[in-house]
Amino acid sequence: MNTKQGLAYNGEVRFFIIDSTSLINELNTINQTSPVAIAALGRSVSITALMGLMLKGNDKLSTTVSGDGQIGKIIAVANGQGEVKATLSNPYVDIPLKENGKLDVSAAVGNGYLQIVKDQGLKDPFVGQTELISGEIAEDYAYYFSQSEQVPTAISAGVLVDTDYSIKSAGALIVQLLPAATEETIERLEWVFANLKPMTSLLQEHDLDAILSAVFEDDFETLKETEVKMVCDCSYQKFEDGIKMLAPADLLDVKKDQYAEVICNFCRKEYKIETRNL
Ligand code: ZN
């Protein structure tokens, strides 16, 4: 299983962790992304996948990182069963590295906001939105949790891109304080996160259990493991229905050809929709 969730520090905090290396490699292949684009997309998807696991089975959520940088929008969708899909406006964004040689994710993302929409089967979905405070993704999601959901949260997320543009390692860790958390636990956690190695280095050297042991000094209990997978729910029918909803003039235009060719934004699958049925 590529994720684990559970309790730590005497049950005073809960954690969610993912090794998303193969998942992000798959996304990288589907989208032909540049290194900085897959770093931003990969961080966002890894965190969104873990947020999905906070939901009940059929509930789902979507996260949109919307900055004024060259990447444009990063959209990720996840549910409680570990299914995720994701897309971004500009997979080819190419900007100079930071002075320290690292990918400049915050410059590629820019200033803007993070929006979370949760569909929990109620009449209206829950919508929460906060500003992007750094554009480095993990901090932006942590800020969302503390501001919009009032849950003090620490997040570490990373994607390491190899010289051949494949993904060497990727993952995320979310730790949240439960209401019973003592001042001592809060301070301990702050210290641990301040001294935590990047997720990408941890994942190259250790499995999830070893990382959790190091982070929580063996004081943790895994309650659930889920295999997170890339799953797209697109279909011929969905695209056909979508075209039928076009304005009459546009629909007439589409029907001039025998087929309408569409490509799914998420999985890049191509559909040839027969226009005589529209
Ligand atoms: Zn699709």
Side-chain angles (χ1 to χ4, degrees):
M1 298 290 171
N2 56 7
T3 71
K4 284 176 189 280
Q5 62 195 83
L7 297 172
Y9 286 163
N10 198 27
E12 292 172 33
V13 305
R14 66 172 186 168
F15 68 82
F16 298 82
I17 190 167
I18 182 168
D19 177 351
S20 53
T21 308
S22 64
L23 212 66
I24 305 307
N25 249 318
E26 206 178 323
L27 263 181
N28 197 21
T29 310
I30 294 170
N31 292 287
Q32 299 290 311
T33 27
S34 68
V36 73
I38 196 64
L41 179 67
R43 290 179 195 178
S44 198
V45 172
S46 303
I47 297 167
T48 303
L50 294 180
M51 289 173 73
L53 299 181
M54 296 174 186
L55 303 172
K56 290 194 215 80
N58 288 325
D59 295 352
K60 63 177 179 183
L61 67 82
S62 68
T63 66
T64 305
V65 175
S66 187
D68 58 6
Q70 286 183 41
I71 281 188
K73 280 188 166 60
I74 302 171
I75 300 171
V77 182
N79 65 18
Q81 295 167 345
E83 297 175 342
V84 290
K85 61 176 186 176
T87 185
L88 76 174
S89 314
N90 180 9
Y92 314 115
V93 47
D94 190 17
I95 57 168
L97 296 173
K98 286 189 202 171
E99 272 177 22
N100 62 6
K102 297 227 189 288
L103 296 167
D104 202 343
V105 171
S106 65
V109 169
N111 297 308
Y113 60 88
L114 166 65
Q115 189 184 64
I116 314 289
V117 179
K118 287 187 203 172
D119 182 356
Q120 295 168 295
L122 304 169
K123 202 170 109 224
D124 296 311
F126 164 88
V127 182
Q129 186 172 307
T130 47
E131 247 177 275
L132 297 174
I133 54 165
S134 76
E136 289 285 341
I137 310 292
E139 291 166 24
D140 302 306
Y141 277 85
Y143 183 70
Y144 160 80
F145 275 111
S146 64
Q147 293 298 307
S148 186
E149 301 198 9
Q150 278 90 47
V151 183
T153 303
I155 302 179
S156 173
V159 175
L160 184 63
V161 185
D162 211 343
T163 44
D164 65 358
Y165 284 22
S166 67
I167 305 304
K168 219 167 177 178
S169 67
L173 169 66
I174 300 181
V175 181
Q176 297 189 310
L177 291 178
L178 295 175
T182 60
E183 200 55 42
E184 192 194 340
T185 296
I186 296 169
E187 279 170 22
R188 209 166 139 195
L189 200 61
E190 278 172 357
W191 188 88
V192 166
F193 258 79
N195 293 286
L196 192 65
K197 280 197 201 171
M199 273 304 280
T200 47
S201 334
L202 291 170
L203 283 163
Q204 277 183 287
E205 294 158 17
H206 309 285
D207 63 13
L208 294 181
D209 272 325
I211 295 173
L212 291 169
S213 288
V215 171
F216 299 118
E217 299 155 295
D218 291 329
D219 183 2
F220 76 98
E221 182 191 4
T222 298
L223 299 174
K224 198 174 168 191
E225 300 182 35
T226 310
E227 185 69 20
V228 168
K229 302 179 292 292
M230 299 287 308
V231 178
C232 191
D233 53 357
C234 67
S235 66
Y236 184 98
Q237 189 67 47
K238 275 195 179 176
F239 281 110
E240 191 184 75
D241 291 347
I243 294 172
K244 280 180 182 164
M245 279 156 62
L246 289 173
D250 294 333
L251 190 56
L252 218 58
D253 209 33
V254 168
K255 292 183 78 159
K256 281 181 192 157
D257 297 312
Q258 198 180 351
Y259 295 100
E261 289 182 25
V262 288
I263 297 175
C264 175
N265 273 336
F266 290 93
C267 66
R268 305 279 163 193
K269 189 171 169 188
E270 294 179 35
Y271 292 89
K272 278 177 89 174
I273 310 292
E274 261 192 280
T275 56
R276 66 189 168 99
N277 300 324
L278 297 171

